[in-house]
Amino acid sequence: MSCVHYRFQSRLTYDSLQFEGLNITVGELKRQIMRRERLKFCQLKISKAQTDEEYIDDDALIPKNTSVIIRRVPAAGLKSSNRRFVGHQAGPSAKSSQTGDSSLLSLEQLLKTENLAEAKASEEDKLKAVMYQSSLCYYSSRAAALLRISASGGAQGFPAASCWRWTTQTERES
């Protein structure tokens, strides 16, 4: 059995991948690593560990007993990982702290925006949207609705502790 030693750029230790024959193609090595590491929605860049020379062609051959470094790269054509926030909408009571400028996005639109850094909105609204989007994955759908109301100006800060207790208690009953 032949093997190739690989490690991800962020790891310290090498893992070995066994294969039949004297060489393995870059494409086959990528497929086996992605299956073994259970990677999805990314591409891999492979380079020699000794020279940092990158294997560009998927048909290139890697000899047995070679050490390589793997770098994960987002797959082409995919959007950022916070796509899950696009489906959530703020209620009609969403109020923005706009100063009358109609070219600025409302807070309701900001809650659905993926790239807040380039969005045309007030800094206060951007911060509210960042707080909402970054904490949404930790809450259930009911708690997220309360958080959305809070972010859109329905209440100052987070909902009261009694609201959180009610949400938690209701979720336990279901």
Side-chain angles (χ1 to χ4, degrees):
M1 273 294 192
S2 303
C3 68
V4 169
H5 306 284
Y6 72 93
R7 77 172 176 90
F8 286 93
Q9 188 175 11
S10 60
R11 292 187 187 165
L12 297 175
T13 60
Y14 281 89
D15 292 316
S16 296
L17 183 73
Q18 295 185 348
F19 61 93
E20 294 290 328
L22 299 174
N23 301 312
I24 187 170
T25 63
V26 173
E28 181 62 26
L29 180 64
K30 287 179 182 179
R31 279 189 292 281
Q32 288 188 19
I33 290 173
M34 289 185 75
R35 186 175 339 132
R36 185 175 186 182
E37 300 288 333
R38 295 184 182 123
L39 299 174
K40 296 179 183 176
F41 308 120
C42 69
Q43 293 178 348
L44 301 178
K45 288 190 175 184
I46 300 177
S47 59
K48 292 182 183 178
Q50 292 81 11
T51 63
D52 271 346
E53 178 185 339
E54 186 176 331
Y55 290 102
I56 298 173
D57 187 18
D58 278 353
D59 295 329
L61 296 175
I62 300 174
K64 66 179 182 177
N65 298 325
T66 302
S67 297
V68 294
I69 296 177
I70 311 294
R71 291 177 183 87
R72 282 178 269 214
V73 180
L78 288 181
K79 298 197 177 202
S80 66
S81 62
N82 48 352
R83 282 180 51 165
R84 62 182 156 229
F85 299 118
V86 174
H88 301 290
Q89 297 181 3
S93 64
K95 298 173 187 166
S96 176
S97 61
Q98 294 180 9
T99 58
D101 189 0
S102 62
S103 67
L104 296 178
L105 293 174
S106 69
L107 183 59
E108 181 177 304
Q109 292 169 327
L110 275 177
L111 293 177
K112 297 183 273 183
T113 303
E114 290 184 14
N115 188 355
L116 294 172
E118 296 177 2
K120 286 185 130 186
S122 68
E123 289 298 315
E124 183 179 335
D125 285 348
K126 285 183 183 179
L127 286 173
K128 285 181 182 178
V130 166
M131 296 282 290
Y132 168 74
Q133 288 182 355
S134 65
S135 61
L136 185 63
C137 62
Y138 296 109
Y139 301 112
S140 67
S141 59
R142 287 187 181 150
L146 292 172
L147 184 61
R148 185 171 48 242
I149 291 168
S150 171
S152 64
Q156 293 296 324
F158 287 96
S162 60
C163 294
W164 290 111
R165 279 191 295 256
W166 175 81
T167 303
T168 309
Q169 181 182 12
T170 310
E171 289 171 355
R172 280 190 228 136
E173 294 170 358
S174 349

